[in-house]
Amino acid sequence: MGLLAIGTPLDWEGTKRHAQQVREWGIEQLLAIWRRAKGKERDALLWGDEIEYLVVAFDDARRRVTLSLRQADILAALAKDEDLCRRGGCVPGLQPIAPRSNTLPTFHPEFGRFMLEATPGQPWGIGLQHLLDVEGNMRWRRVLAKDHMAAHEFPLTLTTFPRLGAPGVFTTPDFAPSGPMLRSQFVPDEVANPHIRFPTLAANIRARRGRKVAINVPVFRDRHTPWPFHDPTVRYDLDRWPEDGDVRRGAVRENCIYMDAMVFGMGSCCLQITFQAKNLPEGRRLYDQLSPLGPIMLALTAATPIYKGFLADTDVRWNQISASVDDRTPEELGEQPLTHDRWRIPKSRYASNSTYIAPDARLRPEYLDPDLVVDPDLKQRLMAGGMDALLATHFAHLFIRDPLVVFREDLAALDLAQTDHFENLQSTNWQHIRFKPPPAHDRDTGWRVEFRPMEIQLTDFENAAFAIFLVLVTRAILSFDLNFYLPITQVATNMETAHVRDAVRTQRFFFRQQPLPTRTPKHSPGSAHPEPGPPSSGPASASPSRPPSPPLGAVEDESALMTIDEIINGQPADGRSTAAPPFPGLLPLVETYLSTLNVDVETGCALARYLDLVRRRASGELCTAATWIRRFVGGHRLYRGDSVVSEEVCYDLVKAVEEISRGDADADGKGCGGRDGDGDGRGCGNGNGNGNGFGVGVGAEGFLAPGMLSSSARVPRHDSHHNGTAAAAAAAAAAAAAATGDGGG
């Protein structure tokens, strides 16, 4: 989260009166960015990660764990630390940050007063050594945060707090619910950041939709769960606020856990990665090609099986956050005929992507969203300002929304040197991939793509592993000109599939069968530009020359339903029911890319330990955090098989997570709920089959044991078990790269 503006916020009626002005001024600011930066070039990819923490407080005497509401105190302590100040500072919201060669991590506030956000102090580069520094930097951030907390407080990379909103005490200090800001019958206003932006955001979402947000998560049906399930924590007799009547008007669904406030979604933690492209075309290309990967990475990192003290029948957070900020009116939802609103809107403003934006000859019209809603007047204004139709469509879609927080001071005059009105709409469209223009006053920052779906993982090792894997996937995409295009409707379907319990092991996802290009010798420099639409002038319009594509087949034949294992590790060459070549797998493609870099053995082994976690998670050999949490709860001596996660079970669970995050358990694999693990002991190869016997401990339940998550643990390089598919993919990808001369940026 960036710096928080200060001003006089308008209530919803005032915001609504100025909504069109904010939209139009935002478009003008976007066009100013476009004119200034459309030809901006960068030498190489830069990227950064964002880690979010829950701050918990343990009361060991009472065996109770709660959320600590001391975000402001912790940030202030970091900002006042004299040693950190001498080294340049680390809290941009509270102090000036001086650039240093060894830049400190930076810490930021988040929506929940129990949350912290931490980022590296400067972007990571493309060098492989930068990748190897990520885990250590993440550990450093956690240590810095912990050093400025009370002895009983800990920063945990846990997606949601298991008993947020449950009966009993779940915050320190404790407050009563049903305050004027959130008007929730489950949580107090004090759980949210008190900065004026946040109460205004929550109040204006509620006012715009005409009722509180309604989050209904299917409950997990265990052997003693009452069925049908009616959330026993809901009070139907409250009448303090007009919105208290929502529950009497059908807001609560049968067999669901019901929640009624923004904090139940925006109080969730995640792992986000932002990539800076070398120029505008590369950024648009990355945006499109990463979009189909979003649901796959969401399922692969699943870590959210508990809400409000109940086991849920879903494993990830996405739809819950979507519902927590859904400001659509009954007319926009299709519940009532359109009378006052402009159009029906199929998705919440927190949703999967609805657009592709790259001027790519491989982008077929059939891939586009048939239900896409755009503002035609704003699209026309963007095109009149020089933007191509495809990108203008993207922004005209984002700008169908109303602004949610408007400061009176910002309405005095339009300042084209600022981006406040543009960011007002851009930053409150929370799609799973976000395309980010350069900021107004930063010449060093280029066009960026933010990858948002991944769930936060329990350990720094895991978070580093998924970050590194995704970075290497982007390198393979650009080096081999990979094509992952799917119809937008299939991407949306995959996002829903990712919510299924243990989707990694039980579900299949739509994925493109043939990502590798069919190549002929590359065109001469004078060959025609193959992309649709008129190319922009200047160097930013350059893109790889492509030969004419072979005749197109049916769109439905381009993709197939695949398991996560097949998507990540590749399909076996034999026993297939289709004539199409087997899908090579994202990891073999990444390893092929690495093989083109002449990586030394030591670096290769270091990277292999991260990639092997991804490989084994995808194959099902290692379970997701969501599955581990379920098993911990299910095996607890006080769990009654009724889907309820009691205070005692919650304490033991969060204590185990804290121990895992510190790596305190001994190296034989004990610590994950008291279960033993065994060493695996396979070799760490150098690409030539030479094993060095570096072992890794794996808990009996398939989750990496706590003692094995330290930097010293090495994981073996994988020998392909897919009958030569990876080798074939390597040869094809290398040949494609050689034929075109495409590079990885």
Side-chain angles (χ1 to χ4, degrees), residues 50-78:
E50 176 184 313
I51 295 283
E52 293 169 341
Y53 303 97
L54 298 180
V55 181
V56 301
F58 287 105
D59 183 342
D60 293 330
R62 297 183 181 181
R63 293 183 55 79
R64 173 187 290 171
V65 62
T66 56
L67 289 166
S68 171
L69 303 184
R70 293 199 326 111
Q71 175 194 91
D73 297 332
I74 295 165
L75 291 173
L78 285 161

PDB file of all heavy atoms in Angstrom, residues 50-78:
ATOM      1  N   GLU A  50       5.987  -8.223  -2.281  1.00  0.00           N
ATOM      2  CA  GLU A  50       5.285  -7.591  -1.166  1.00  0.00           C
ATOM      3  C   GLU A  50       4.772  -8.684  -0.240  1.00  0.00           C
ATOM      4  O   GLU A  50       4.030  -9.573  -0.668  1.00  0.00           O
ATOM      5  CB  GLU A  50       4.119  -6.752  -1.690  1.00  0.00           C
ATOM      6  CG  GLU A  50       3.246  -6.125  -0.635  1.00  0.00           C
ATOM      7  CD  GLU A  50       2.062  -5.386  -1.250  1.00  0.00           C
ATOM      8  OE1 GLU A  50       2.278  -4.622  -2.215  1.00  0.00           O
ATOM      9  OE2 GLU A  50       0.921  -5.586  -0.775  1.00  0.00           O
ATOM     10  N   ILE A  51       5.215  -8.621   1.004  1.00  0.00           N
ATOM     11  CA  ILE A  51       4.818  -9.588   2.032  1.00  0.00           C
ATOM     12  C   ILE A  51       3.900  -8.877   3.024  1.00  0.00           C
ATOM     13  O   ILE A  51       4.164  -7.747   3.433  1.00  0.00           O
ATOM     14  CB  ILE A  51       6.048 -10.133   2.777  1.00  0.00           C
ATOM     15  CG1 ILE A  51       6.941 -10.952   1.837  1.00  0.00           C
ATOM     16  CG2 ILE A  51       5.636 -10.949   3.991  1.00  0.00           C
ATOM     17  CD1 ILE A  51       6.417 -12.325   1.539  1.00  0.00           C
ATOM     18  N   GLU A  52       2.824  -9.538   3.426  1.00  0.00           N
ATOM     19  CA  GLU A  52       1.930  -8.985   4.442  1.00  0.00           C
ATOM     20  C   GLU A  52       1.903  -9.914   5.657  1.00  0.00           C
ATOM     21  O   GLU A  52       1.879 -11.145   5.500  1.00  0.00           O
ATOM     22  CB  GLU A  52       0.528  -8.786   3.876  1.00  0.00           C
ATOM     23  CG  GLU A  52       0.477  -7.712   2.795  1.00  0.00           C
ATOM     24  CD  GLU A  52      -0.832  -7.672   2.033  1.00  0.00           C
ATOM     25  OE1 GLU A  52      -1.580  -8.677   2.075  1.00  0.00           O
ATOM     26  OE2 GLU A  52      -1.092  -6.642   1.393  1.00  0.00           O
ATOM     27  N   TYR A  53       1.911  -9.310   6.821  1.00  0.00           N
ATOM     28  CA  TYR A  53       1.937 -10.056   8.079  1.00  0.00           C
ATOM     29  C   TYR A  53       0.683  -9.781   8.893  1.00  0.00           C
ATOM     30  O   TYR A  53       0.164  -8.655   8.905  1.00  0.00           O
ATOM     31  CB  TYR A  53       3.132  -9.632   8.947  1.00  0.00           C
ATOM     32  CG  TYR A  53       4.480  -9.762   8.308  1.00  0.00           C
ATOM     33  CD1 TYR A  53       5.091  -8.658   7.720  1.00  0.00           C
ATOM     34  CD2 TYR A  53       5.162 -10.975   8.302  1.00  0.00           C
ATOM     35  CE1 TYR A  53       6.350  -8.754   7.144  1.00  0.00           C
ATOM     36  CE2 TYR A  53       6.425 -11.088   7.725  1.00  0.00           C
ATOM     37  CZ  TYR A  53       7.008  -9.974   7.143  1.00  0.00           C
ATOM     38  OH  TYR A  53       8.253 -10.076   6.568  1.00  0.00           O
ATOM     39  N   LEU A  54       0.218 -10.801   9.614  1.00  0.00           N
ATOM     40  CA  LEU A  54      -0.672 -10.607  10.751  1.00  0.00           C
ATOM     41  C   LEU A  54       0.194 -10.474  11.993  1.00  0.00           C
ATOM     42  O   LEU A  54       1.150 -11.233  12.175  1.00  0.00           O
ATOM     43  CB  LEU A  54      -1.602 -11.810  10.934  1.00  0.00           C
ATOM     44  CG  LEU A  54      -2.581 -12.169   9.817  1.00  0.00           C
ATOM     45  CD1 LEU A  54      -3.401 -13.394  10.233  1.00  0.00           C
ATOM     46  CD2 LEU A  54      -3.494 -11.010   9.490  1.00  0.00           C
ATOM     47  N   VAL A  55      -0.124  -9.522  12.853  1.00  0.00           N
ATOM     48  CA  VAL A  55       0.579  -9.394  14.131  1.00  0.00           C
ATOM     49  C   VAL A  55      -0.304 -10.017  15.198  1.00  0.00           C
ATOM     50  O   VAL A  55      -1.440  -9.568  15.427  1.00  0.00           O
ATOM     51  CB  VAL A  55       0.881  -7.925  14.468  1.00  0.00           C
ATOM     52  CG1 VAL A  55       1.647  -7.844  15.792  1.00  0.00           C
ATOM     53  CG2 VAL A  55       1.692  -7.277  13.351  1.00  0.00           C
ATOM     54  N   VAL A  56       0.189 -11.063  15.834  1.00  0.00           N
ATOM     55  CA  VAL A  56      -0.594 -11.771  16.847  1.00  0.00           C
ATOM     56  C   VAL A  56       0.051 -11.596  18.206  1.00  0.00           C
ATOM     57  O   VAL A  56       1.261 -11.360  18.325  1.00  0.00           O
ATOM     58  CB  VAL A  56      -0.739 -13.276  16.519  1.00  0.00           C
ATOM     59  CG1 VAL A  56      -1.425 -13.462  15.174  1.00  0.00           C
ATOM     60  CG2 VAL A  56       0.608 -13.974  16.544  1.00  0.00           C
ATOM     61  N   ALA A  57      -0.772 -11.711  19.237  1.00  0.00           N
ATOM     62  CA  ALA A  57      -0.316 -11.606  20.620  1.00  0.00           C
ATOM     63  C   ALA A  57      -0.683 -12.887  21.357  1.00  0.00           C
ATOM     64  O   ALA A  57      -1.861 -13.289  21.355  1.00  0.00           O
ATOM     65  CB  ALA A  57      -0.956 -10.399  21.303  1.00  0.00           C
ATOM     66  N   PHE A  58       0.302 -13.542  21.961  1.00  0.00           N
ATOM     67  CA  PHE A  58       0.072 -14.779  22.709  1.00  0.00           C
ATOM     68  C   PHE A  58      -0.074 -14.485  24.199  1.00  0.00           C
ATOM     69  O   PHE A  58       0.716 -13.730  24.777  1.00  0.00           O
ATOM     70  CB  PHE A  58       1.233 -15.755  22.506  1.00  0.00           C
ATOM     71  CG  PHE A  58       1.275 -16.391  21.150  1.00  0.00           C
ATOM     72  CD1 PHE A  58       2.204 -15.981  20.199  1.00  0.00           C
ATOM     73  CD2 PHE A  58       0.390 -17.402  20.809  1.00  0.00           C
ATOM     74  CE1 PHE A  58       2.253 -16.565  18.954  1.00  0.00           C
ATOM     75  CE2 PHE A  58       0.428 -17.997  19.560  1.00  0.00           C
ATOM     76  CZ  PHE A  58       1.363 -17.575  18.628  1.00  0.00           C
ATOM     77  N   ASP A  59      -1.079 -15.069  24.799  1.00  0.00           N
ATOM     78  CA  ASP A  59      -1.231 -15.100  26.249  1.00  0.00           C
ATOM     79  C   ASP A  59      -1.080 -16.565  26.649  1.00  0.00           C
ATOM     80  O   ASP A  59      -2.060 -17.327  26.698  1.00  0.00           O
ATOM     81  CB  ASP A  59      -2.598 -14.551  26.652  1.00  0.00           C
ATOM     82  CG  ASP A  59      -2.796 -14.487  28.158  1.00  0.00           C
ATOM     83  OD1 ASP A  59      -2.036 -15.167  28.887  1.00  0.00           O
ATOM     84  OD2 ASP A  59      -3.713 -13.781  28.612  1.00  0.00           O
ATOM     85  N   ASP A  60       0.165 -16.969  26.896  1.00  0.00           N
ATOM     86  CA  ASP A  60       0.432 -18.383  27.128  1.00  0.00           C
ATOM     87  C   ASP A  60      -0.194 -18.885  28.415  1.00  0.00           C
ATOM     88  O   ASP A  60      -0.559 -20.066  28.518  1.00  0.00           O
ATOM     89  CB  ASP A  60       1.941 -18.631  27.144  1.00  0.00           C
ATOM     90  CG  ASP A  60       2.579 -18.398  25.774  1.00  0.00           C
ATOM     91  OD1 ASP A  60       1.884 -18.610  24.758  1.00  0.00           O
ATOM     92  OD2 ASP A  60       3.755 -17.991  25.720  1.00  0.00           O
ATOM     93  N   ALA A  61      -0.332 -18.015  29.404  1.00  0.00           N
ATOM     94  CA  ALA A  61      -0.930 -18.447  30.666  1.00  0.00           C
ATOM     95  C   ALA A  61      -2.380 -18.868  30.463  1.00  0.00           C
ATOM     96  O   ALA A  61      -2.848 -19.847  31.064  1.00  0.00           O
ATOM     97  CB  ALA A  61      -0.838 -17.323  31.698  1.00  0.00           C
ATOM     98  N   ARG A  62      -3.101 -18.139  29.613  1.00  0.00           N
ATOM     99  CA  ARG A  62      -4.498 -18.469  29.337  1.00  0.00           C
ATOM    100  C   ARG A  62      -4.657 -19.351  28.099  1.00  0.00           C
ATOM    101  O   ARG A  62      -5.774 -19.725  27.760  1.00  0.00           O
ATOM    102  CB  ARG A  62      -5.300 -17.181  29.126  1.00  0.00           C
ATOM    103  CG  ARG A  62      -5.366 -16.275  30.336  1.00  0.00           C
ATOM    104  CD  ARG A  62      -6.247 -15.080  30.031  1.00  0.00           C
ATOM    105  NE  ARG A  62      -6.332 -14.142  31.144  1.00  0.00           N
ATOM    106  CZ  ARG A  62      -7.063 -13.033  31.133  1.00  0.00           C
ATOM    107  NH1 ARG A  62      -7.776 -12.727  30.054  1.00  0.00           N
ATOM    108  NH2 ARG A  62      -7.084 -12.241  32.182  1.00  0.00           N
ATOM    109  N   ARG A  63      -3.532 -19.661  27.438  1.00  0.00           N
ATOM    110  CA  ARG A  63      -3.569 -20.414  26.181  1.00  0.00           C
ATOM    111  C   ARG A  63      -4.534 -19.723  25.196  1.00  0.00           C
ATOM    112  O   ARG A  63      -5.457 -20.329  24.664  1.00  0.00           O
ATOM    113  CB  ARG A  63      -3.976 -21.871  26.421  1.00  0.00           C
ATOM    114  CG  ARG A  63      -2.919 -22.649  27.207  1.00  0.00           C
ATOM    115  CD  ARG A  63      -3.298 -24.105  27.366  1.00  0.00           C
ATOM    116  NE  ARG A  63      -3.577 -24.764  26.094  1.00  0.00           N
ATOM    117  CZ  ARG A  63      -2.632 -25.202  25.260  1.00  0.00           C
ATOM    118  NH1 ARG A  63      -1.359 -25.037  25.544  1.00  0.00           N
ATOM    119  NH2 ARG A  63      -2.967 -25.790  24.131  1.00  0.00           N
ATOM    120  N   ARG A  64      -4.273 -18.433  24.986  1.00  0.00           N
ATOM    121  CA  ARG A  64      -5.117 -17.641  24.092  1.00  0.00           C
ATOM    122  C   ARG A  64      -4.214 -16.861  23.135  1.00  0.00           C
ATOM    123  O   ARG A  64      -3.164 -16.349  23.538  1.00  0.00           O
ATOM    124  CB  ARG A  64      -5.987 -16.680  24.903  1.00  0.00           C
ATOM    125  CG  ARG A  64      -6.785 -15.695  24.044  1.00  0.00           C
ATOM    126  CD  ARG A  64      -7.488 -14.663  24.910  1.00  0.00           C
ATOM    127  NE  ARG A  64      -8.578 -15.257  25.682  1.00  0.00           N
ATOM    128  CZ  ARG A  64      -9.235 -14.627  26.641  1.00  0.00           C
ATOM    129  NH1 ARG A  64      -8.892 -13.379  26.970  1.00  0.00           N
ATOM    130  NH2 ARG A  64     -10.219 -15.210  27.290  1.00  0.00           N
ATOM    131  N   VAL A  65      -4.633 -16.758  21.902  1.00  0.00           N
ATOM    132  CA  VAL A  65      -3.940 -15.920  20.925  1.00  0.00           C
ATOM    133  C   VAL A  65      -4.951 -14.957  20.324  1.00  0.00           C
ATOM    134  O   VAL A  65      -6.093 -15.327  20.047  1.00  0.00           O
ATOM    135  CB  VAL A  65      -3.258 -16.767  19.823  1.00  0.00           C
ATOM    136  CG1 VAL A  65      -4.276 -17.583  19.026  1.00  0.00           C
ATOM    137  CG2 VAL A  65      -2.438 -15.886  18.885  1.00  0.00           C
ATOM    138  N   THR A  66      -4.536 -13.713  20.169  1.00  0.00           N
ATOM    139  CA  THR A  66      -5.402 -12.678  19.610  1.00  0.00           C
ATOM    140  C   THR A  66      -4.621 -11.872  18.577  1.00  0.00           C
ATOM    141  O   THR A  66      -3.399 -11.990  18.459  1.00  0.00           O
ATOM    142  CB  THR A  66      -5.904 -11.722  20.708  1.00  0.00           C
ATOM    143  OG1 THR A  66      -4.770 -11.171  21.391  1.00  0.00           O
ATOM    144  CG2 THR A  66      -6.797 -12.447  21.704  1.00  0.00           C
ATOM    145  N   LEU A  67      -5.348 -11.039  17.840  1.00  0.00           N
ATOM    146  CA  LEU A  67      -4.720 -10.088  16.934  1.00  0.00           C
ATOM    147  C   LEU A  67      -4.292  -8.857  17.721  1.00  0.00           C
ATOM    148  O   LEU A  67      -5.080  -8.307  18.508  1.00  0.00           O
ATOM    149  CB  LEU A  67      -5.697  -9.679  15.835  1.00  0.00           C
ATOM    150  CG  LEU A  67      -6.018 -10.746  14.789  1.00  0.00           C
ATOM    151  CD1 LEU A  67      -7.230 -10.327  13.974  1.00  0.00           C
ATOM    152  CD2 LEU A  67      -4.826 -10.999  13.882  1.00  0.00           C
ATOM    153  N   SER A  68      -3.064  -8.420  17.528  1.00  0.00           N
ATOM    154  CA  SER A  68      -2.575  -7.205  18.178  1.00  0.00           C
ATOM    155  C   SER A  68      -2.907  -6.001  17.308  1.00  0.00           C
ATOM    156  O   SER A  68      -2.581  -5.972  16.117  1.00  0.00           O
ATOM    157  CB  SER A  68      -1.061  -7.287  18.386  1.00  0.00           C
ATOM    158  OG  SER A  68      -0.564  -6.036  18.828  1.00  0.00           O
ATOM    159  N   LEU A  69      -3.537  -5.000  17.900  1.00  0.00           N
ATOM    160  CA  LEU A  69      -3.948  -3.807  17.158  1.00  0.00           C
ATOM    161  C   LEU A  69      -2.922  -2.683  17.289  1.00  0.00           C
ATOM    162  O   LEU A  69      -3.274  -1.514  17.324  1.00  0.00           O
ATOM    163  CB  LEU A  69      -5.327  -3.339  17.654  1.00  0.00           C
ATOM    164  CG  LEU A  69      -6.443  -4.371  17.576  1.00  0.00           C
ATOM    165  CD1 LEU A  69      -7.776  -3.751  18.001  1.00  0.00           C
ATOM    166  CD2 LEU A  69      -6.561  -4.965  16.184  1.00  0.00           C
ATOM    167  N   ARG A  70      -1.646  -3.041  17.308  1.00  0.00           N
ATOM    168  CA  ARG A  70      -0.593  -2.056  17.542  1.00  0.00           C
ATOM    169  C   ARG A  70       0.190  -1.725  16.272  1.00  0.00           C
ATOM    170  O   ARG A  70       1.372  -1.408  16.327  1.00  0.00           O
ATOM    171  CB  ARG A  70       0.349  -2.541  18.636  1.00  0.00           C
ATOM    172  CG  ARG A  70      -0.299  -2.623  20.008  1.00  0.00           C
ATOM    173  CD  ARG A  70       0.721  -2.656  21.137  1.00  0.00           C
ATOM    174  NE  ARG A  70       1.939  -3.369  20.795  1.00  0.00           N
ATOM    175  CZ  ARG A  70       3.128  -2.767  20.628  1.00  0.00           C
ATOM    176  NH1 ARG A  70       3.243  -1.444  20.731  1.00  0.00           N
ATOM    177  NH2 ARG A  70       4.194  -3.488  20.336  1.00  0.00           N
ATOM    178  N   GLN A  71      -0.470  -1.784  15.125  1.00  0.00           N
ATOM    179  CA  GLN A  71       0.216  -1.456  13.875  1.00  0.00           C
ATOM    180  C   GLN A  71       0.936  -0.115  13.962  1.00  0.00           C
ATOM    181  O   GLN A  71       2.121   0.003  13.626  1.00  0.00           O
ATOM    182  CB  GLN A  71      -0.794  -1.431  12.722  1.00  0.00           C
ATOM    183  CG  GLN A  71      -0.246  -0.995  11.385  1.00  0.00           C
ATOM    184  CD  GLN A  71      -1.356  -0.678  10.390  1.00  0.00           C
ATOM    185  OE1 GLN A  71      -1.811   0.452  10.297  1.00  0.00           O
ATOM    186  NE2 GLN A  71      -1.825  -1.693   9.666  1.00  0.00           N
ATOM    187  N   ALA A  72       0.231   0.926  14.404  1.00  0.00           N
ATOM    188  CA  ALA A  72       0.809   2.272  14.449  1.00  0.00           C
ATOM    189  C   ALA A  72       2.000   2.328  15.390  1.00  0.00           C
ATOM    190  O   ALA A  72       3.017   2.977  15.081  1.00  0.00           O
ATOM    191  CB  ALA A  72      -0.256   3.284  14.861  1.00  0.00           C
ATOM    192  N   ASP A  73       1.917   1.664  16.525  1.00  0.00           N
ATOM    193  CA  ASP A  73       3.023   1.674  17.486  1.00  0.00           C
ATOM    194  C   ASP A  73       4.252   0.973  16.913  1.00  0.00           C
ATOM    195  O   ASP A  73       5.392   1.421  17.119  1.00  0.00           O
ATOM    196  CB  ASP A  73       2.608   0.988  18.785  1.00  0.00           C
ATOM    197  CG  ASP A  73       1.471   1.712  19.490  1.00  0.00           C
ATOM    198  OD1 ASP A  73       1.357   2.942  19.304  1.00  0.00           O
ATOM    199  OD2 ASP A  73       0.707   1.053  20.208  1.00  0.00           O
ATOM    200  N   ILE A  74       4.035  -0.128  16.222  1.00  0.00           N
ATOM    201  CA  ILE A  74       5.158  -0.880  15.651  1.00  0.00           C
ATOM    202  C   ILE A  74       5.837  -0.068  14.550  1.00  0.00           C
ATOM    203  O   ILE A  74       7.077   0.014  14.490  1.00  0.00           O
ATOM    204  CB  ILE A  74       4.665  -2.236  15.126  1.00  0.00           C
ATOM    205  CG1 ILE A  74       4.156  -3.099  16.293  1.00  0.00           C
ATOM    206  CG2 ILE A  74       5.771  -2.964  14.371  1.00  0.00           C
ATOM    207  CD1 ILE A  74       3.324  -4.293  15.860  1.00  0.00           C
ATOM    208  N   LEU A  75       5.051   0.549  13.676  1.00  0.00           N
ATOM    209  CA  LEU A  75       5.632   1.386  12.629  1.00  0.00           C
ATOM    210  C   LEU A  75       6.383   2.571  13.226  1.00  0.00           C
ATOM    211  O   LEU A  75       7.468   2.951  12.749  1.00  0.00           O
ATOM    212  CB  LEU A  75       4.542   1.862  11.673  1.00  0.00           C
ATOM    213  CG  LEU A  75       3.912   0.795  10.777  1.00  0.00           C
ATOM    214  CD1 LEU A  75       2.732   1.370  10.005  1.00  0.00           C
ATOM    215  CD2 LEU A  75       4.941   0.219   9.812  1.00  0.00           C
ATOM    216  N   ALA A  76       5.829   3.169  14.275  1.00  0.00           N
ATOM    217  CA  ALA A  76       6.503   4.293  14.926  1.00  0.00           C
ATOM    218  C   ALA A  76       7.827   3.845  15.543  1.00  0.00           C
ATOM    219  O   ALA A  76       8.835   4.571  15.476  1.00  0.00           O
ATOM    220  CB  ALA A  76       5.597   4.903  15.988  1.00  0.00           C
ATOM    221  N   ALA A  77       7.843   2.658  16.153  1.00  0.00           N
ATOM    222  CA  ALA A  77       9.083   2.145  16.741  1.00  0.00           C
ATOM    223  C   ALA A  77      10.140   1.909  15.671  1.00  0.00           C
ATOM    224  O   ALA A  77      11.328   2.212  15.879  1.00  0.00           O
ATOM    225  CB  ALA A  77       8.792   0.862  17.513  1.00  0.00           C
ATOM    226  N   LEU A  78       9.736   1.391  14.533  1.00  0.00           N
ATOM    227  CA  LEU A  78      10.676   1.207  13.422  1.00  0.00           C
ATOM    228  C   LEU A  78      11.223   2.550  12.940  1.00  0.00           C
ATOM    229  O   LEU A  78      12.421   2.687  12.663  1.00  0.00           O
ATOM    230  CB  LEU A  78       9.985   0.475  12.274  1.00  0.00           C
ATOM    231  CG  LEU A  78       9.760  -1.030  12.452  1.00  0.00           C
ATOM    232  CD1 LEU A  78       8.673  -1.525  11.499  1.00  0.00           C
ATOM    233  CD2 LEU A  78      11.068  -1.791  12.201  1.00  0.00           C
TER     234      LEU A  78
END
